[in-house]
Amino acid sequence: MKHRYKVREIAQQSGLSEATVDRVLHERPGVRESTRAEVQQAIRDLDKQRTQLKLSGRKFLVDVVMQSPERFTTAFRAAVEAELPALAPAVVRSRFHFRETGSTPAMVETLDRIGARGTQGVIVKAPDSIEVVEAIDRLTAAGIPVVTYATDVPGSSRAGYVGIDNRAAGATAAYLVDQWLGDLSSAVLITLSSNAFRGEEEREMGFRAALRSFGIDRAVIDIAESDGLDATIESLVLRALEQNPDIAAVYSIGGGNVATARAFERTGRTCRVFIAHDLDEDNTRLLRAGTLSAVLHHDLRADAHLACRMLLQARGALGGVATAASPIRVVTPYNQP
Protein backbone atom coordinates (compact mmCIF):
# COMPACT_ATOMS: atom_id res chain seq x y z
CA MET A 1 0.00 0.00 0.00
CA LYS A 2 1.48 3.32 -1.05
CA HIS A 3 1.52 5.96 1.65
CA ARG A 4 2.63 9.56 2.08
CA TYR A 5 2.95 9.72 5.85
CA LYS A 6 5.18 8.39 8.59
CA VAL A 7 4.05 5.20 10.31
CA ARG A 8 3.80 7.18 13.56
CA GLU A 9 1.37 9.72 11.98
CA ILE A 10 -0.89 6.99 10.61
CA ALA A 11 -0.83 5.15 13.92
CA GLN A 12 -1.83 8.29 15.84
CA GLN A 13 -4.66 8.98 13.38
CA SER A 14 -5.98 5.42 13.37
CA GLY A 15 -5.46 4.61 17.07
CA LEU A 16 -3.56 1.43 16.11
CA SER A 17 -0.05 0.48 17.11
CA GLU A 18 2.89 1.40 14.89
CA ALA A 19 3.67 -2.30 14.47
CA THR A 20 0.15 -3.00 13.20
CA VAL A 21 0.27 -0.08 10.79
CA ASP A 22 3.66 -1.24 9.53
CA ARG A 23 2.28 -4.75 8.85
CA VAL A 24 -0.65 -3.26 6.89
CA LEU A 25 1.54 -0.90 4.84
CA HIS A 26 3.91 -3.70 3.88
CA GLU A 27 1.00 -6.08 3.14
CA ARG A 28 2.20 -8.73 5.57
CA PRO A 29 -0.14 -11.66 6.33
CA GLY A 30 -2.18 -12.08 9.47
CA VAL A 31 -3.96 -8.72 9.38
CA ARG A 32 -7.77 -8.53 9.47
CA GLU A 33 -9.55 -6.72 6.63
CA SER A 34 -11.20 -4.42 9.15
CA THR A 35 -7.75 -3.35 10.38
CA ARG A 36 -6.61 -2.66 6.80
CA ALA A 37 -9.76 -0.56 6.32
CA GLU A 38 -8.94 1.46 9.45
CA VAL A 39 -5.47 2.24 8.11
CA GLN A 40 -6.88 3.24 4.71
CA GLN A 41 -9.40 5.54 6.38
CA ALA A 42 -6.65 7.10 8.51
CA ILE A 43 -4.66 7.92 5.36
CA ARG A 44 -7.75 9.47 3.74
CA ASP A 45 -8.32 11.55 6.88
CA LEU A 46 -4.71 12.74 6.82
CA ASP A 47 -5.11 13.71 3.15
CA LYS A 48 -8.18 15.75 4.02
CA GLN A 49 -6.39 17.47 6.90
CA ARG A 50 -3.45 18.32 4.65
CA THR A 51 -5.83 19.90 2.16
CA GLN A 52 -7.49 21.94 4.89
CA LEU A 53 -4.13 23.20 6.15
CA LYS A 54 -3.09 23.99 2.57
CA LEU A 55 -6.22 26.10 2.05
CA SER A 56 -6.23 27.78 5.46
CA GLY A 57 -6.02 31.53 5.10
CA ARG A 58 -5.58 31.44 1.32
CA LYS A 59 -7.60 34.03 -0.55
CA PHE A 60 -9.08 33.53 -3.99
CA LEU A 61 -10.90 36.01 -6.21
CA VAL A 62 -13.35 34.57 -8.73
CA ASP A 63 -15.09 36.50 -11.52
CA VAL A 64 -18.55 35.45 -12.76
CA VAL A 65 -19.41 36.62 -16.30
CA MET A 66 -22.87 36.05 -17.76
CA GLN A 67 -25.08 37.19 -20.61
CA SER A 68 -28.52 36.21 -19.38
CA PRO A 69 -31.83 37.72 -18.23
CA GLU A 70 -31.72 39.38 -14.82
CA ARG A 71 -34.07 36.82 -13.30
CA PHE A 72 -31.43 34.12 -13.89
CA THR A 73 -28.32 36.10 -13.00
CA THR A 74 -29.96 37.23 -9.75
CA ALA A 75 -30.69 33.62 -8.80
CA PHE A 76 -27.19 32.45 -9.66
CA ARG A 77 -25.53 35.32 -7.82
CA ALA A 78 -27.50 34.39 -4.68
CA ALA A 79 -26.39 30.76 -5.15
CA VAL A 80 -22.70 31.73 -5.46
CA GLU A 81 -22.81 34.02 -2.42
CA ALA A 82 -24.55 31.32 -0.37
CA GLU A 83 -21.94 28.70 -1.24
CA LEU A 84 -18.73 30.71 -0.77
CA PRO A 85 -18.62 30.12 3.02
CA ALA A 86 -18.78 26.36 2.37
CA LEU A 87 -15.36 26.58 0.69
CA ALA A 88 -13.71 27.41 4.03
CA PRO A 89 -10.97 27.41 5.21
CA ALA A 90 -10.17 29.06 1.88
CA VAL A 91 -11.46 32.62 1.63
CA VAL A 92 -13.19 33.07 -1.74
CA ARG A 93 -14.50 36.42 -2.92
CA SER A 94 -16.47 37.04 -6.09
CA ARG A 95 -17.01 39.79 -8.63
CA PHE A 96 -19.99 39.75 -10.98
CA HIS A 97 -20.22 40.99 -14.56
CA PHE A 98 -23.78 40.59 -15.83
CA ARG A 99 -25.57 41.84 -18.93
CA GLU A 100 -29.00 40.93 -20.29
CA THR A 101 -28.08 41.64 -23.90
CA GLY A 102 -24.83 42.26 -25.65
CA SER A 103 -22.62 41.49 -28.58
CA THR A 104 -19.82 38.95 -28.78
CA PRO A 105 -17.21 41.77 -28.89
CA ALA A 106 -18.62 43.13 -25.63
CA MET A 107 -18.28 39.69 -23.99
CA VAL A 108 -14.72 39.36 -25.27
CA GLU A 109 -13.87 42.83 -23.99
CA THR A 110 -15.13 41.88 -20.51
CA LEU A 111 -13.06 38.68 -20.45
CA ASP A 112 -9.94 40.49 -21.66
CA ARG A 113 -10.40 43.24 -19.08
CA ILE A 114 -10.65 40.65 -16.29
CA GLY A 115 -7.49 38.97 -17.57
CA ALA A 116 -5.60 42.26 -17.59
CA ARG A 117 -6.77 43.16 -14.07
CA GLY A 118 -6.07 39.72 -12.64
CA THR A 119 -8.17 36.99 -11.07
CA GLN A 120 -7.85 33.45 -9.71
CA GLY A 121 -10.56 32.08 -11.96
CA VAL A 122 -13.58 32.82 -14.17
CA ILE A 123 -17.04 31.26 -14.36
CA VAL A 124 -18.61 32.23 -17.68
CA LYS A 125 -21.93 31.80 -19.48
CA ALA A 126 -21.23 33.00 -23.01
CA PRO A 127 -22.01 32.30 -26.66
CA ASP A 128 -20.00 29.57 -28.34
CA SER A 129 -18.10 31.60 -30.93
CA ILE A 130 -14.52 31.60 -32.18
CA GLU A 131 -13.98 35.01 -30.58
CA VAL A 132 -15.10 33.73 -27.16
CA VAL A 133 -12.97 30.59 -27.61
CA GLU A 134 -9.93 32.78 -28.26
CA ALA A 135 -10.71 35.01 -25.25
CA ILE A 136 -10.95 31.98 -22.96
CA ASP A 137 -7.70 30.62 -24.41
CA ARG A 138 -5.98 33.92 -23.64
CA LEU A 139 -7.11 33.67 -20.02
CA THR A 140 -5.91 30.10 -19.59
CA ALA A 141 -2.60 30.91 -21.31
CA ALA A 142 -2.12 33.56 -18.62
CA GLY A 143 -2.66 30.92 -15.91
CA ILE A 144 -6.30 31.85 -15.21
CA PRO A 145 -8.61 28.80 -15.17
CA VAL A 146 -12.06 29.14 -16.74
CA VAL A 147 -15.21 27.08 -16.08
CA THR A 148 -18.17 27.37 -18.46
CA TYR A 149 -21.63 27.32 -16.93
CA ALA A 150 -25.08 26.33 -18.27
CA THR A 151 -23.86 26.47 -21.88
CA ASP A 152 -20.50 25.09 -22.93
CA VAL A 153 -17.68 26.40 -25.13
CA PRO A 154 -16.04 23.00 -25.74
CA GLY A 155 -13.53 24.16 -28.35
CA SER A 156 -11.79 26.32 -25.76
CA SER A 157 -9.18 25.36 -23.17
CA ARG A 158 -11.68 25.79 -20.30
CA ALA A 159 -11.05 23.65 -17.21
CA GLY A 160 -14.52 22.14 -17.39
CA TYR A 161 -18.26 22.59 -17.82
CA VAL A 162 -20.83 22.80 -15.03
CA GLY A 163 -24.54 22.38 -15.70
CA ILE A 164 -27.13 19.94 -16.92
CA ASP A 165 -26.88 17.60 -19.89
CA ASN A 166 -28.76 19.91 -22.25
CA ARG A 167 -29.64 17.24 -24.82
CA ALA A 168 -31.14 15.08 -22.07
CA ALA A 169 -33.07 18.09 -20.79
CA GLY A 170 -34.55 18.70 -24.24
CA ALA A 171 -35.50 15.03 -24.57
CA THR A 172 -37.14 15.14 -21.13
CA ALA A 173 -39.21 18.15 -22.20
CA ALA A 174 -40.28 16.31 -25.37
CA TYR A 175 -41.36 13.29 -23.32
CA LEU A 176 -43.50 15.45 -21.03
CA VAL A 177 -45.09 17.29 -23.97
CA ASP A 178 -45.86 14.02 -25.75
CA GLN A 179 -47.35 12.44 -22.63
CA TRP A 180 -49.60 15.40 -21.88
CA LEU A 181 -50.77 16.00 -25.45
CA GLY A 182 -51.50 12.32 -25.95
CA ASP A 183 -53.12 11.60 -29.31
CA LEU A 184 -53.54 15.28 -30.18
CA SER A 185 -51.38 16.25 -33.16
CA SER A 186 -51.03 19.82 -31.92
CA ALA A 187 -48.03 21.93 -32.92
CA VAL A 188 -45.35 22.86 -30.38
CA LEU A 189 -43.71 26.27 -30.02
CA ILE A 190 -40.05 26.40 -28.96
CA THR A 191 -38.77 29.73 -27.63
CA LEU A 192 -35.04 30.45 -27.44
CA SER A 193 -33.08 33.48 -26.32
CA SER A 194 -30.31 33.08 -28.92
CA ASN A 195 -29.00 30.46 -31.32
CA ALA A 196 -25.48 31.51 -30.34
CA PHE A 197 -25.67 29.59 -27.04
CA ARG A 198 -24.62 25.97 -27.50
CA GLY A 199 -26.71 24.88 -24.50
CA GLU A 200 -29.93 26.16 -26.07
CA GLU A 201 -29.05 24.57 -29.40
CA GLU A 202 -28.45 21.23 -27.68
CA ARG A 203 -31.76 21.44 -25.82
CA GLU A 204 -33.60 22.06 -29.08
CA MET A 205 -31.82 19.18 -30.82
CA GLY A 206 -32.61 16.83 -27.94
CA PHE A 207 -36.25 17.95 -27.97
CA ARG A 208 -36.73 17.53 -31.72
CA ALA A 209 -35.00 14.14 -31.86
CA ALA A 210 -37.02 12.72 -28.97
CA LEU A 211 -40.32 14.14 -30.25
CA ARG A 212 -39.78 12.50 -33.65
CA SER A 213 -39.14 9.16 -31.97
CA PHE A 214 -42.55 9.12 -30.26
CA GLY A 215 -44.42 8.50 -33.51
CA ILE A 216 -46.92 11.38 -33.67
CA ASP A 217 -46.24 13.90 -36.42
CA ARG A 218 -46.19 17.24 -34.59
CA ALA A 219 -45.17 20.49 -36.21
CA VAL A 220 -42.45 22.38 -34.29
CA ILE A 221 -42.16 26.16 -34.64
CA ASP A 222 -39.22 27.96 -33.10
CA ILE A 223 -38.61 31.56 -32.06
CA ALA A 224 -35.05 32.77 -31.53
CA GLU A 225 -33.05 35.94 -30.84
CA SER A 226 -35.42 37.22 -28.15
CA ASP A 227 -32.66 37.42 -25.48
CA GLY A 228 -35.22 35.71 -23.25
CA LEU A 229 -36.73 39.08 -22.36
CA ASP A 230 -40.45 39.70 -21.89
CA ALA A 231 -40.14 43.00 -23.71
CA THR A 232 -39.09 41.31 -26.95
CA ILE A 233 -40.66 37.86 -26.85
CA GLU A 234 -44.34 38.77 -26.56
CA SER A 235 -44.62 40.17 -30.09
CA LEU A 236 -42.73 37.16 -31.48
CA VAL A 237 -45.09 34.71 -29.77
CA LEU A 238 -48.16 36.68 -30.90
CA ARG A 239 -46.96 36.48 -34.49
CA ALA A 240 -46.31 32.74 -34.20
CA LEU A 241 -49.77 32.12 -32.75
CA GLU A 242 -51.44 34.12 -35.52
CA GLN A 243 -49.53 32.22 -38.21
CA ASN A 244 -49.90 28.76 -36.61
CA PRO A 245 -53.40 28.07 -35.27
CA ASP A 246 -52.41 24.52 -34.22
CA ILE A 247 -49.94 25.58 -31.52
CA ALA A 248 -51.10 24.17 -28.18
CA ALA A 249 -47.83 23.53 -26.35
CA VAL A 250 -44.67 25.48 -25.51
CA TYR A 251 -41.15 24.40 -24.66
CA SER A 252 -39.44 27.48 -23.30
CA ILE A 253 -35.68 27.07 -23.60
CA GLY A 254 -34.68 30.71 -23.24
CA GLY A 255 -37.28 32.21 -20.89
CA GLY A 256 -39.63 35.15 -21.23
CA ASN A 257 -42.48 33.02 -19.94
CA VAL A 258 -44.60 35.80 -18.46
CA ALA A 259 -44.79 37.39 -21.91
CA THR A 260 -45.47 34.03 -23.58
CA ALA A 261 -48.39 33.36 -21.24
CA ARG A 262 -49.69 36.88 -21.86
CA ALA A 263 -49.59 36.31 -25.64
CA PHE A 264 -51.79 33.22 -25.28
CA GLU A 265 -54.23 35.21 -23.14
CA ARG A 266 -54.38 38.07 -25.63
CA THR A 267 -55.27 35.71 -28.46
CA GLY A 268 -57.75 33.71 -26.38
CA ARG A 269 -55.73 30.54 -26.99
CA THR A 270 -55.18 27.68 -24.56
CA CYS A 271 -51.67 26.38 -23.88
CA ARG A 272 -52.24 22.76 -22.94
CA VAL A 273 -48.62 22.03 -22.03
CA PHE A 274 -46.01 24.62 -21.00
CA ILE A 275 -42.52 23.37 -20.06
CA ALA A 276 -39.83 25.79 -18.86
CA HIS A 277 -36.35 25.82 -17.31
CA ASP A 278 -35.17 26.98 -13.86
CA LEU A 279 -37.14 27.97 -10.76
CA ASP A 280 -36.48 31.69 -10.93
CA GLU A 281 -38.95 34.17 -9.45
CA ASP A 282 -41.11 34.38 -12.58
CA ASN A 283 -41.31 30.63 -13.12
CA THR A 284 -42.03 29.93 -9.46
CA ARG A 285 -45.01 32.28 -9.62
CA LEU A 286 -46.25 30.85 -12.97
CA LEU A 287 -45.91 27.29 -11.68
CA ARG A 288 -47.92 28.04 -8.55
CA ALA A 289 -50.63 29.62 -10.70
CA GLY A 290 -50.81 26.53 -12.88
CA THR A 291 -49.68 28.44 -15.98
CA LEU A 292 -46.58 26.28 -16.30
CA SER A 293 -47.09 22.52 -16.45
CA ALA A 294 -43.58 21.71 -15.23
CA VAL A 295 -40.16 23.26 -14.75
CA LEU A 296 -36.91 21.44 -15.49
CA HIS A 297 -34.79 22.53 -12.56
CA HIS A 298 -31.32 21.89 -11.16
CA ASP A 299 -29.67 22.99 -7.94
CA LEU A 300 -27.95 26.32 -8.60
CA ARG A 301 -26.14 26.20 -5.25
CA ALA A 302 -24.67 22.80 -6.07
CA ASP A 303 -23.61 24.17 -9.46
CA ALA A 304 -21.98 27.21 -7.86
CA HIS A 305 -20.13 25.06 -5.34
CA LEU A 306 -18.88 22.68 -8.04
CA ALA A 307 -17.75 25.51 -10.33
CA CYS A 308 -15.72 27.11 -7.52
CA ARG A 309 -14.17 23.78 -6.55
CA MET A 310 -13.18 23.15 -10.16
CA LEU A 311 -11.39 26.51 -10.24
CA LEU A 312 -9.57 25.75 -6.98
CA GLN A 313 -8.58 22.34 -8.32
CA ALA A 314 -7.32 23.87 -11.55
CA ARG A 315 -5.09 26.14 -9.44
CA GLY A 316 -3.76 23.15 -7.52
CA ALA A 317 -5.38 24.23 -4.26
CA LEU A 318 -7.55 21.09 -4.09
CA GLY A 319 -6.87 17.54 -5.14
CA GLY A 320 -9.05 15.33 -7.30
CA VAL A 321 -11.21 16.12 -10.27
CA ALA A 322 -14.76 17.41 -9.73
CA THR A 323 -16.82 16.72 -12.83
CA ALA A 324 -20.46 15.76 -12.90
CA ALA A 325 -23.55 16.80 -14.82
CA SER A 326 -26.22 18.42 -12.67
CA PRO A 327 -29.24 16.13 -12.23
CA ILE A 328 -32.43 17.30 -13.96
CA ARG A 329 -35.41 17.57 -11.65
CA VAL A 330 -38.98 17.76 -13.00
CA VAL A 331 -40.88 20.20 -10.74
CA THR A 332 -44.68 20.48 -10.89
CA PRO A 333 -47.05 22.66 -8.85
CA TYR A 334 -47.24 19.75 -6.36
CA ASN A 335 -43.57 19.13 -5.59
CA GLN A 336 -42.05 22.61 -5.55
CA PRO A 337 -39.09 22.89 -3.20
Side-chain angles (χ1 to χ4, degrees):
M1 182 190 299
K2 294 182 180 180
H3 59 96
R4 297 163 291 284
Y5 306 99
K6 294 179 180 179
V7 170
R8 181 179 300 173
E9 289 182 275
I10 300 173
Q12 289 175 340
Q13 181 67 36
S14 64
L16 301 170
S17 70
E18 292 184 26
T20 299
V21 171
D22 186 74
R23 286 200 301 273
V24 171
L25 295 177
H26 290 91
E27 299 183 349
R28 296 191 178 101
V31 180
R32 293 192 300 269
E33 282 303 313
S34 61
T35 302
R36 294 183 187 279
E38 287 183 70
V39 172
Q40 292 169 348
Q41 183 60 53
I43 292 173
R44 286 194 293 270
D45 291 342
L46 287 169
D47 282 341
K48 186 180 297 184
Q49 292 167 20
R50 174 183 284 183
T51 297
Q52 295 292 309
L53 289 171
K54 188 176 180 181
L55 285 174
S56 183
R58 291 191 64 180
K59 296 181 180 180
F60 298 88
L61 179 63
V62 172
D63 286 87
V64 183
V65 184
M66 286 191 171
Q67 180 182 320
S68 196
E70 184 180 0
R71 60 180 178 271
F72 183 78
T73 56
T74 297
F76 189 68
R77 176 172 186 153
V80 170
E81 292 175 338
E83 284 302 307
L84 292 184
L87 298 167
V91 178
V92 182
R93 295 185 295 113
S94 54
R95 294 185 299 211
F96 299 93
H97 314 265
F98 296 153
R99 64 177 74 235
E100 288 198 304
T101 62
S103 62
T104 296
M107 173 63 70
V108 169
E109 180 184 358
T110 299
L111 294 174
D112 285 342
R113 187 170 63 250
I114 290 170
R117 185 167 55 182
T119 184
Q120 273 73 56
V122 177
I123 302 169
V124 62
K125 178 181 181 290
D128 181 19
S129 69
I130 186 61
E131 295 86 359
V132 171
V133 169
E134 292 171 349
I136 291 174
D137 289 348
R138 285 193 292 273
L139 288 170
T140 59
I144 300 170
V146 177
V147 170
T148 53
Y149 178 60
T151 179
D152 200 7
V153 186
S156 70
S157 53
R158 88 297 190 255
Y161 163 73
V162 173
I164 60 174
D165 180 331
N166 285 300
R167 284 181 183 267
T172 301
Y175 173 79
L176 295 174
V177 167
D178 184 75
Q179 290 293 303
W180 266 315
L181 286 181
D183 294 334
L184 296 174
S185 57
S186 306
V188 182
L189 177 66
I190 297 178
T191 61
L192 304 100
S193 66
S194 173
N195 285 319
F197 291 105
R198 173 177 285 268
E200 295 197 13
E201 181 183 36
E202 290 176 342
R203 290 176 187 180
E204 181 178 12
M205 288 190 292
F207 183 87
R208 288 179 179 271
L211 202 64
R212 285 195 300 270
S213 72
F214 296 142
I216 295 181
D217 185 19
R218 304 187 192 280
V220 178
I221 299 94
D222 63 76
I223 291 172
E225 307 312 318
S226 69
D227 290 317
L229 302 177
D230 289 334
T232 55
I233 201 169
E234 184 170 355
S235 60
L236 296 174
V237 175
L238 282 171
R239 188 182 310 142
L241 292 175
E242 291 168 359
Q243 296 174 353
N244 301 274
D246 292 335
I247 292 176
V250 174
Y251 174 34
S252 171
I253 294 175
N257 301 321
V258 171
T260 298
R262 191 162 54 234
F264 272 86
E265 291 174 5
R266 287 180 58 181
T267 57
R269 300 272 289 277
T270 298
C271 185
R272 293 181 177 274
V273 188
F274 196 162
I275 310 297
H277 279 270
D278 303 317
L279 276 177
D280 55 38
E281 186 177 343
D282 284 352
N283 286 347
T284 298
R285 186 171 62 253
L286 291 171
L287 191 63
R288 285 175 179 160
T291 304
L292 292 177
S293 308
V295 172
L296 303 182
H297 183 60
H298 55 286
D299 189 339
L300 298 186
R301 287 187 58 170
D303 287 350
H305 187 87
L306 177 58
C308 289
R309 285 190 64 87
M310 289 175 70
L311 292 178
L312 295 181
Q313 287 170 342
R315 298 202 68 88
L318 287 175
V321 179
T323 54
S326 302
I328 303 166
R329 181 178 179 186
V330 179
V331 182
T332 73
Y334 302 100
N335 68 331
Q336 285 185 258

